[in-house]
Amino acid sequence: MATITFPVPSTTTSRFAVAAESVPQDLVDLLRRSKPAPFHAHIAGRLGSPQLQVTREDLTCLRWDPGRVKAARPEDRQAALAFNDAAEFAVVTAFAPVTDQPRGVQVARSAAYAIAEAIGGITADLVTGHILSPSTMERTRFVLSDHWLGDVLPPYRANGHCTAAEPELDPEGVNGCACVRLRTRGLRRFGLPEVQISDVACPHDLAALNVLRTTARRLLTDHWSWLATGPAARTRTIAADLHLAQSDFNDFWGTTRRVHITPPAPFGVHLSLLTPRLLTVAPPADFDGTINDWLWSDTLPLGMYDLLESPADPFPSAA
């Protein structure tokens, strides 16, 4: 059985920023006085420790570029422009043991949301580089689809530059181009390498995105199970071949509702270690065809061909 080995950090860092017209000097006091919400007690208990630090920064002392923060969705573009032009920021940093995840990053993002609500600010995730949708409350249950991966589709057809045929009109269109490369940005904060899929033809971008999402969710589930055993090693070896199921896809969205009359069998993916911090996803070695043949075939769960967003199951919000 083929395997791959990657390093596992003992600690990870995650950062969030809130841009506003005026950011108060005493952010710790602001957070302590914020209204009760999920994670409020965790915020109060961690403030001032490496697990939760808040600082006020302006353009004279920034070590990061607000202009690199982008909108993941069209509706966030105005907020992104305002963030890019801001002069004052509240920065929330969580430097925590990898075994503290996902609680550590949930507490940190909850703190960022609390600051944004108090000062009328715009929140961004500095790991993914994306503006976060306005929110006043962090989920207590971890759902990977809650903007943790920085997973977005590139401009379709490379902004009109790609002229490959559509597969429905021309069979050769299945492999008509290789414009699409997708990569997660966010798994590293959980102690995992990022995941990439490439050489994908434009018509299969959504299927490729959902394969990437499903793979990420499965890797994360298995990783947390491994961390729960208290391993002493700072490396981890996993099978290069994964068998993913509809349940892995549902787990990404945090839902149990997507039940098909004839659910497909589990489908396989093959992982390769491109760098110690980056895994690539491809079809199984025994698949007879290209990555686009694989994405266009009927081997994937049904929703992976057309599902871009899906709400998670409702659940109690109490911490």
Side-chain angles (χ1 to χ4, degrees), residues 105-128:
V105 294
Q106 287 180 291
V107 172
R109 195 167 77 172
S110 182
Y113 282 147
I115 293 171
E117 183 183 19
I119 65 177
I122 300 168
T123 311
D125 184 336
L126 299 186
V127 173
T128 65

Side-chain angles (χ1 to χ4, degrees), residues 7 9 19 27-28 39 44 59 84 114 133 137 139 148 150 155 158 199 254 275 313:
L27 293 168
V28 170
F39 297 113
L59 296 179
N84 300 155
S133 301
M137 187 174 295
R139 293 179 186 270
W148 290 112
D199 298 324
T275 74
D313 289 342

Side-chain angles (χ1 to χ4, degrees), residues 50-63:
Q51 285 91 342
L52 187 62
Q53 297 184 344
V54 291
T55 58
R56 181 189 179 279
E57 299 182 7
D58 59 36
L59 296 179
T60 64
C61 63
L62 287 183
R63 295 184 179 181

Side-chain angles (χ1 to χ4, degrees), residues 84-97:
N84 300 155
D85 293 336
E88 297 185 12
F89 303 88
V91 178
V92 180
T93 303
F95 181 70

